[in-house]
């Protein structure tokens, strides 16, 4: 047995091996040590190998899903080795001591899950592969629980942002790939060959060309081929359901890098949970599929204005008709998740209950489609979705006739095919039921004939049906003329058989076995019929999810007083009464009111410098406007009285930072890396929020960096930007930068206490209120008093010297400064070029040196 195990373990590679032995999955050697620690189960030992005892542990097969979940969440991959024949078959084929054959039938990984118990119903579960070819990079991603398959054309610079958008459970790359650091699994290079990838996709979808799916680069074919090869490897030759790939280009959606996603907490909070994120604050969907789609919408806001307006019009339709919205959401709430049900069926892990979910979900979708068809003035998107909700009439009718109202999960015990669907199956059931009644009658007769009231007919897996009497009555039944045959004597009871019981039990057993076989055959036929329509079923699931998202966003807009945004082509950002949805929710729970603020950015006023005290609301103001841009381009109403904004091609947020010790970066280094990325990539159509740039170093260095960054954004990037700072010296830039305006968050001191008003007003802050905030934070009075005296000295010194910004008024602007530096260098070069060094006397050389010195000082 251990020889067989070691062969399978070598095939499993770095996976933990679940080795099936009867009713248990056993783990051995190091696998057992790892699993026992993660699962908190007993580690034992059996036999020996190379003279050492073999560590082992095991989990029951019937409850293995719960153990798998814990192992997968702990970052492990698990290979399942099942028995591929019964012990009886093994003995018949190879003798009484034959070992049962086993094979790895599946590799369970975080990115290839389909089990309902292992998945979050409200989150997609992506498995991604990175492909490289022809100098390009691409990503292929699949959610095998629903069959969704995407290929993203991108470049190396945007790879991280696309992976952050997907947030995949697993990332696969070729061994030795330049992108291997981004991967959690490395696979052989052969699987990532672009030519093989193209042929594999054609074969998988039964097409002669991929042109119908879009245009694929060699890198995209490499990624898709690598992904399909990995899924085939984990499924051991039985590929899960994959829909035709949808090709996406990174420019089709708003570019949001990983740091910005984390900073803005779009779909996950900085604590790593859904709670506290923008998605959590917005989500009012009533189905798992709707919640998954909303998460994808927020993660990838659109750049297609027509597509955004189509979504917004659908939200408006439901927003304006509360009765329709309430009724539709009530219908959606009862729907099963047919997308994941067809995914499980296609993966070979479906159950009768999954077919029942298809029946109920498709039937309800049909009725919903009929209802939408009758609506007057329905938006175009809704009219396009309605036909996808129907078209499954024959399948619905078949499943209604074939299945009981509530089919079970376990098919082994039967009972899921409805009465009346198969007359022969009904006869078998009658025979079985009649046989059980006959057995009860036979038991009563045996009691009377033997004068043994305690006689019972029982059943077990060893003896089958048998007669059982107390030991004191056993002698009477032992007599040859009794008609009973002794089978077993136990403590207190004796067991017998009888010819009549044997014949009756045979009929009952045969009827039961034939009944189960007939039901299994019907299940196989129903599954094949459902799979023949799997792509239209998945399209229906998508349509239901889109309707749920629109109705959920309408519900959120209605309850929060949100407004429909107006999208325009020119770069503007005009928000009236804007609010932060997450902070507003948190304040509402405490019975407090959120202070709304306006924001108006345009070509002539595209850079706001926001000053004011800590805790005054600067960071909240910055973030809320970035979130409004995300929501608007995702097709949602926004938390504002009104909103008009030009499309944002790239969103950047440099708000707060922390050490990245794993990469050897301090807080300030992280801040500078993120700021550098913004300056390198922001375009005039981008939206940037920057908070306290330069605060992580000395005052002079920090001010110098902040000053230069403001100038660069104003002069070079020319994007819409909100820049919050405590460097009041930066306000001098308003006199020199035409598109920069000054704003501050209001605060007042009242009777020695600081009152934060959280209102954004025009003009610079009159002071920073740092000591007042320190007092609010609870610094001891003695410390506050000492700080006041130090501050007085510093301010007196600043008044004498002109402050730390003294002389900055004479600096040329960013571009002019660069030109001045180049001119100075050129003058030195010109002077050096005129010198004939070999002809210079010592006196002439000294004079030339002084001239060069004066040029460099000038």
């Amino acid at each position: 047995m251990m020889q067989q195990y070691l062969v399978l373990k070598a095939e499993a590679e770095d996976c933990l091996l679940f080795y099936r032995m009867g009713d248990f999955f056993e783990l051995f050697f190091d696998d057992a040590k790892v699993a026992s620690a993660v699962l908190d189960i007993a580690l034992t030992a059996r036999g020996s190998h190379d003279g050492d005892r073999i560590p082992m542990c095991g989990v029951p097969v019937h409850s293995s899903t719960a153990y798998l979940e814990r192992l997968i969440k702990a970052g492990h991959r698990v290979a399942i080795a099942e028995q591929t024949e019964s012990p009886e078959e093994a003995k018949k084929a190879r003798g009484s001591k034959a070992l049962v054959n086993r094979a790895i039938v599946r590799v369970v990984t975080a990115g290839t899950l389909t089990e309902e118990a292992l998945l979050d119903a409200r989150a997609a579960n992506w498995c991604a592969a990175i492909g490289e070819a022809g100098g390009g990079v691409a990503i292929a991603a699949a959610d095998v629980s629903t069959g969704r398959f995407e290929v993203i054309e991108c470049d190396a610079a945007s790879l991280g942002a696309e992976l952050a958008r997907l947030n995949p459970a697993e990332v696969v790359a070729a061994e030795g790939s330049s992108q291997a650091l981004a991967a959690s699994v490395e696979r052989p290079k052969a699987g990532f060959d672009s030519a093989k990838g193209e042929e594999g996709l054609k074969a998988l979808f039964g097409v002669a060309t991929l042109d119908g799916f879009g245009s694929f680069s060699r890198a995209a074919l490499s990624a898709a081929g690598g992904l399909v090869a990995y899924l085939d490897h984990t499924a051991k030759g039985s590929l899960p359901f994959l829909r035709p790939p949808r090709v996406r280009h990174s420019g089709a959606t708003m570019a949001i890098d990983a740091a910005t996603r984390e900073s803005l907490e779009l779909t996950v909070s900085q604590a790593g949970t859904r709670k506290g994120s923008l998605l959590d604050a917005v989500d009012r969907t009533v189905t798992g599929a709707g919640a998954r789609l909303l998460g994808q919408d927020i993660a990838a806001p659109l750049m297609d204005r027509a597509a955004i307006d189509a979504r917004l019009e659908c939200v408006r339709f439901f927003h304006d008709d509360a009765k329709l919205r309430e009724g539709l959401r009530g219908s959606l709430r009862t729907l099963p998740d047919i997308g994941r049900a067809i995914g499980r069926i296609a993966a070979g892990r479906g159950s009768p209950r999954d077919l029942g979910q298809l029946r109920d979900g498709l039937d309800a979708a049909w009725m919903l489609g009929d209802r939408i068809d009758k609506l007057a003035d329905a938006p175009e998107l809704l009219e396009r979705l309605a036909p996808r909700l129907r078209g499954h009439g024959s399948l619905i009718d078949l499943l209604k006739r074939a299945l009981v109202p509530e089919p079970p999960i376990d098919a082994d015990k039967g009972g899921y095919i409805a009465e009346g669907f198969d007359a022969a199956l009904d006869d078998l059931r009658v025979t079985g039921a009649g046989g059980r009644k006959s057995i009860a009658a036979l038991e009563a007769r045996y009691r009377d004939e033997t004068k043994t009231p305690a006689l019972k007919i029982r059943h077990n897996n060893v003896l089958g049906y048998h007669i059982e009497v107390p030991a004191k009555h056993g002698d009477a039944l032992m007599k040859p003329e009794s008609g009973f045959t002794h089978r077993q004597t136990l403590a207190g009871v004796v067991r017998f058989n009888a010819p009549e019981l044997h014949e009756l039990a045979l009929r009952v057993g045969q009827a039961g076995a034939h009944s189960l076989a007939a039901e299994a055959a019907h299940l196989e036929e129903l599954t094949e019929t459902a799979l023949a329509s799997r792509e239209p079923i998945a399209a229906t699931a998508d349509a239901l999810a889109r309707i749920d998202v629109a109705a959920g966003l309408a519900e959120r807009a209605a309850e929060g007083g949100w407004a429909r945004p107006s999208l325009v082509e020119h770069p503007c950002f005009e928000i009236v009464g804007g609010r932060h949805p997450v902070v507003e929710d948190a304040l509402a729970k405490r019975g407090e009111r959120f202070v709304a603020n306006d924001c108006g950015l345009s070509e002539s006023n595209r850079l706001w410098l926001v000053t004011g005290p800590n805790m005054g609301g600067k960071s909240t103001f910055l973030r809320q406007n970035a979130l409004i841009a995300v929501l608007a381009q995702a097709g949602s109403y926004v938390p504002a009285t009104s909103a008009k904004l030009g499309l944002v091609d790239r969103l950047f947020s440099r708000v707060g930072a922390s050490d990245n010790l794993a990469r050897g970066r301090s807080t300030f280094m992280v801040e500078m890396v993120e700021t550098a990325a913004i300056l390198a990539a922001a375009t005039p159509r981008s939206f940037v929020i920057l908070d306290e740039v330069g605060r992580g170093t000395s005052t002079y260095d920090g001010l110098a960096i902040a000053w230069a960054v403001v100038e660069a954004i104003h002069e070079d990037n020319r994007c819409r930007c909100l820049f919050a700072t405590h460097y009041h010296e930066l306000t001098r830039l308003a006199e020199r930068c035409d598109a920069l305006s000054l704003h501050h968050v209001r605060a007042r001191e009242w009777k020695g206490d600081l009152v934060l008003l959280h209102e954004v007003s025009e003009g610079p802050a009159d002071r920073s209120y740092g000591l007042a905030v320190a007092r609010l934070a609870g610094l001891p009075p003695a410390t506050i008093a000492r700080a006041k005296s130090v501050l007085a000295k510093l301010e007196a010194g600043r008044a004498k010297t002109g402050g730390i910004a003294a002389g900055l008024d004479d600096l040329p602007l960013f571009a002019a400064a660069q030109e001045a530096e180049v001119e100075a260098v050129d003058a030195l070069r010109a002077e050096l070029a005129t010198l004939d060094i070999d002809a210079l006397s010592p006196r002439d050389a000294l004079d030339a040196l002084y001239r060069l010195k004066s040029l460099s000082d000038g």
Side-chain angles (χ1 to χ4, degrees), residues 465-515:
Y465 284 99
H466 58 275
I467 301 155
E468 184 176 283
V469 297
K472 63 182 179 179
H473 298 290
D475 290 344
L477 274 67
M478 289 280 193
K479 295 176 182 178
E481 65 274 15
S482 68
F484 296 98
T485 304
H486 176 253
R487 295 296 306 278
Q488 193 176 44
T489 299
L490 301 174
V493 297
V494 184
R495 291 170 174 171
F496 299 86
N497 202 350
E500 190 174 3
L501 175 61
H502 177 72
E503 292 176 8
L504 191 55
L506 193 61
R507 289 201 302 274
V508 172
Q510 287 178 339
H514 291 161
S515 173

Side-chain angles (χ1 to χ4, degrees), residues 243-469:
R243 299 169 67 183
R246 297 169 58 183
V247 181
R248 284 187 59 257
H249 294 273
S250 54
T253 58
M254 181 191 294
I256 310 173
D257 61 29
T260 298
R261 289 180 188 278
E262 182 180 1
S263 169
L264 296 179
E265 301 177 294
L266 296 183
T267 57
V268 180
S269 72
Q270 292 189 0
T273 62
R274 195 175 192 270
K275 187 172 181 60
S277 67
L278 173 66
L279 175 60
D280 182 58
V282 171
D283 189 4
R284 296 297 183 272
T285 57
V286 294
T287 69
R292 296 194 296 271
L293 182 58
L294 177 61
Q296 292 163 27
D297 287 351
I298 288 177
L302 299 176
M303 284 298 295
D304 184 338
R305 190 172 145 202
I308 297 169
D309 283 334
R311 289 184 185 179
L312 288 171
E313 186 60 20
C314 206
V315 175
R316 179 207 59 78
F317 186 71
F318 292 130
H319 177 271
D320 294 349
D321 192 336
K323 185 176 180 181
L324 169 66
R325 184 174 75 248
E326 182 180 349
L328 184 140
R329 282 164 55 80
S331 298
L332 289 170
R333 190 175 279 110
T334 63
L335 290 181
D337 195 336
I338 60 174
R340 282 193 166 167
I342 193 66
R344 287 190 293 274
I345 292 170
R349 291 185 279 277
S351 68
R353 191 182 75 165
D354 289 321
L355 288 173
Q357 288 185 340
L358 289 187
R359 172 198 62 197
D360 299 341
L362 294 174
D363 190 35
W366 183 289
M367 291 187 286
L368 192 62
D370 284 343
R371 185 176 178 184
I372 290 173
D373 273 344
K374 296 173 184 176
L375 296 175
D377 302 321
E380 180 187 353
L381 177 59
L382 203 57
E383 290 181 343
R384 292 204 311 266
L385 294 173
R388 302 182 199 173
L389 301 178
R390 299 188 300 277
H392 307 287
S394 59
L395 178 61
I396 295 169
D397 179 64
L398 173 63
L399 295 177
K400 279 185 174 182
R401 290 185 294 108
L403 297 172
V404 298
E406 295 185 7
I409 295 177
D410 186 2
D412 292 342
K413 297 178 181 178
Y416 46 86
I417 298 298
E419 186 177 346
F421 180 69
D422 179 351
L425 173 60
D426 291 343
D427 290 342
L428 289 171
R429 286 172 170 170
V430 168
T431 300
R436 285 187 289 274
K437 290 179 182 177
S438 298
I439 286 174
L442 185 62
E443 181 184 73
R445 202 182 88 208
Y446 283 160
R447 285 175 183 167
D448 292 338
E449 291 177 354
T450 62
K451 303 294 189 293
T452 309
L455 181 147
K456 292 182 180 179
I457 293 179
R458 298 188 180 278
H459 181 275
N460 63 35
N461 292 331
V462 177
L463 299 180
Y465 284 99
H466 58 275
I467 301 155
E468 184 176 283
V469 297

Side-chain angles (χ1 to χ4, degrees), residues 478-691:
M478 289 280 193
K479 295 176 182 178
E481 65 274 15
S482 68
F484 296 98
T485 304
H486 176 253
R487 295 296 306 278
Q488 193 176 44
T489 299
L490 301 174
V493 297
V494 184
R495 291 170 174 171
F496 299 86
N497 202 350
E500 190 174 3
L501 175 61
H502 177 72
E503 292 176 8
L504 191 55
L506 193 61
R507 289 201 302 274
V508 172
Q510 287 178 339
H514 291 161
S515 173
L516 288 175
E519 287 202 70
H522 285 308
L523 180 63
E524 186 175 346
E525 292 171 1
L526 293 172
T527 297
E528 290 177 359
T529 304
L531 288 177
S533 301
R534 58 188 177 184
E535 288 184 19
I537 290 171
T540 298
D542 287 349
L544 290 169
R546 177 55 64 195
I547 293 170
D548 185 24
V549 168
L553 290 174
E555 181 74 13
R556 183 65 182 93
E559 74 179 39
W562 291 13
R564 176 175 177 168
S566 172
L567 280 302
V568 297
E569 291 297 333
H570 62 279
C572 67
F573 200 87
E574 301 170 13
I575 309 298
V576 176
R579 309 186 299 279
H580 192 300
V582 180
V583 177
E584 185 177 28
D585 281 357
L587 290 175
K589 290 175 183 176
R590 302 202 301 262
E592 300 177 29
R593 183 180 66 88
F594 186 93
V595 179
N597 282 295
D598 302 344
C599 181
L601 302 174
S602 63
E603 181 59 33
S604 61
N605 185 26
R606 62 178 180 270
L607 175 56
W608 277 25
L609 197 65
V610 185
T611 54
N614 284 314
M615 300 171 56
K618 296 193 301 299
S619 295
T620 298
F621 175 70
L622 267 57
R623 281 189 171 99
Q624 75 189 34
N625 286 292
L627 296 183
I628 285 172
V630 169
L631 288 172
Q633 289 182 221
S636 169
Y637 277 33
V638 298
T641 304
S642 68
K644 177 182 176 182
L645 58 151
L647 290 175
V648 174
D649 66 347
R650 294 170 179 267
L651 180 65
F652 294 99
S653 170
R654 228 278 356 128
V655 181
S658 58
D659 289 342
N660 189 333
L661 299 180
R663 300 184 66 177
R665 292 177 176 174
S666 66
T667 302
F668 181 67
M669 183 62 174
V670 171
E671 177 185 326
M672 290 298 98
V673 168
E674 293 175 4
T675 304
I678 294 170
L679 296 179
T683 74
R685 300 183 72 194
S686 301
F687 187 81
V688 176
I689 60 173
L690 290 161
D691 191 12

